[in-house]
Amino acid sequence: MDTDAVLTLLKDVAEEVINPRFRALATGEIHEKNPGDLVTVADHEAEVLITKALNAAYPDAVVLGEEAHAAQGLLLGAYASASHAFTVDPVDGTKNFVHGSPDHAVMVGEVRDGVAIRGWIWQPQHGLAYVAERGAGAYRNGERLHRTPPDGATLSGRTSRRTWIGRAFGDLEPLTLTWVSCGIDYPKLVEGETDYLLYGSTRPWDHVPGSLIVHEAGGLVGRTDGQPYVASDVAAPGLVAAASPAAYDLVVEAFNGTQ
């Protein structure tokens, strides 16, 4: 499937099974996978449709869906060792979706030999599509994206880890809450709404598409221990997504100097 065809797939699936449930979910259509970790019928149905299409187009690729991983514990290992794989997050920001917030997204990433080569984020309620191809740039609704590097050493950052909210690492400003959806967070970083994102969780379906979009827009995503992040890394201690390589270095230095 070419890049536009995958984006069309995400849009069509969202229109078929996600958008009709927005602000219209019945009580029986919402469940907890773990305490506080919600999943809806829209998540399940969207992932099935996207996975089916990717499997048909790429029968030899491993497709790692968030909900399939929850049901099949060995799928993450197969993804990490695969020469060709896809990540699928059918409704990223499920809590937002359940509570009627438009800040949710449908995301897919493509990985070859552990490296992200294409990424897609579709925000159905905002009508915004973010697409990246390695070496070919990142785009929002067809317009090339470039993040201007932040000035100075005082950077503003956001985190989804509640225990870090309000905490200041080194000379950095106190952390505030992200948009609670990686499919919103990463585009907001590229668009200048924050200088960096700090994550404690590194699930591939959350980070593969956005990390490539940030990379292609001039930013950098790496591990909190200063090591490079690659798409097949399923055991990273945490991630820093920064507006520039220099900003990444500042955040990592501050983070590790105050632990």
Short mmCIF file of all heavy atoms in Angstrom, two decimals, residues 2 15 34 43 45 68 94:
data_model
loop_
_atom_site.label_atom_id
_atom_site.label_comp_id
_atom_site.label_asym_id
_atom_site.label_seq_id
_atom_site.Cartn_x
_atom_site.Cartn_y
_atom_site.Cartn_z
N ASP A 2 0.57 2.20 -0.87
CA ASP A 2 1.36 3.42 -0.84
C ASP A 2 0.91 4.25 0.36
O ASP A 2 -0.07 3.95 1.04
CB ASP A 2 1.28 4.17 -2.17
CG ASP A 2 -0.11 4.72 -2.49
OD1 ASP A 2 -0.91 4.96 -1.56
OD2 ASP A 2 -0.39 4.94 -3.68
N GLU A 15 -14.21 6.77 10.07
CA GLU A 15 -15.55 7.18 9.68
C GLU A 15 -16.56 6.05 9.89
O GLU A 15 -17.72 6.30 10.25
CB GLU A 15 -15.56 7.62 8.22
CG GLU A 15 -16.86 8.27 7.76
CD GLU A 15 -17.16 9.56 8.50
OE1 GLU A 15 -16.22 10.23 8.98
OE2 GLU A 15 -18.36 9.90 8.60
N ASN A 34 -7.21 -2.92 32.51
CA ASN A 34 -6.61 -2.87 33.83
C ASN A 34 -7.24 -1.68 34.53
O ASN A 34 -7.88 -0.84 33.88
CB ASN A 34 -5.08 -2.70 33.74
CG ASN A 34 -4.42 -3.86 33.02
OD1 ASN A 34 -4.46 -5.00 33.47
ND2 ASN A 34 -3.80 -3.56 31.87
N ASP A 43 -12.26 0.82 19.73
CA ASP A 43 -10.87 0.36 19.67
C ASP A 43 -10.77 -1.00 19.00
O ASP A 43 -9.96 -1.21 18.09
CB ASP A 43 -10.28 0.26 21.09
CG ASP A 43 -10.18 1.58 21.82
OD1 ASP A 43 -11.21 2.07 22.29
OD2 ASP A 43 -9.07 2.11 21.93
N GLU A 45 -12.98 -2.76 17.11
CA GLU A 45 -13.43 -2.86 15.73
C GLU A 45 -12.46 -2.16 14.76
O GLU A 45 -12.18 -2.67 13.67
CB GLU A 45 -14.83 -2.28 15.59
CG GLU A 45 -15.89 -3.13 16.29
CD GLU A 45 -17.30 -2.60 16.08
OE1 GLU A 45 -17.46 -1.61 15.33
OE2 GLU A 45 -18.24 -3.19 16.65
N ALA A 68 -4.53 -6.36 20.32
CA ALA A 68 -4.04 -7.72 20.08
C ALA A 68 -2.93 -8.07 21.07
O ALA A 68 -2.84 -9.20 21.56
CB ALA A 68 -3.53 -7.87 18.65
N THR A 94 -7.81 6.89 24.42
CA THR A 94 -9.14 6.31 24.65
C THR A 94 -9.90 7.02 25.76
O THR A 94 -11.11 7.24 25.66
CB THR A 94 -9.02 4.81 24.96
OG1 THR A 94 -8.44 4.13 23.84
CG2 THR A 94 -10.38 4.19 25.23
#
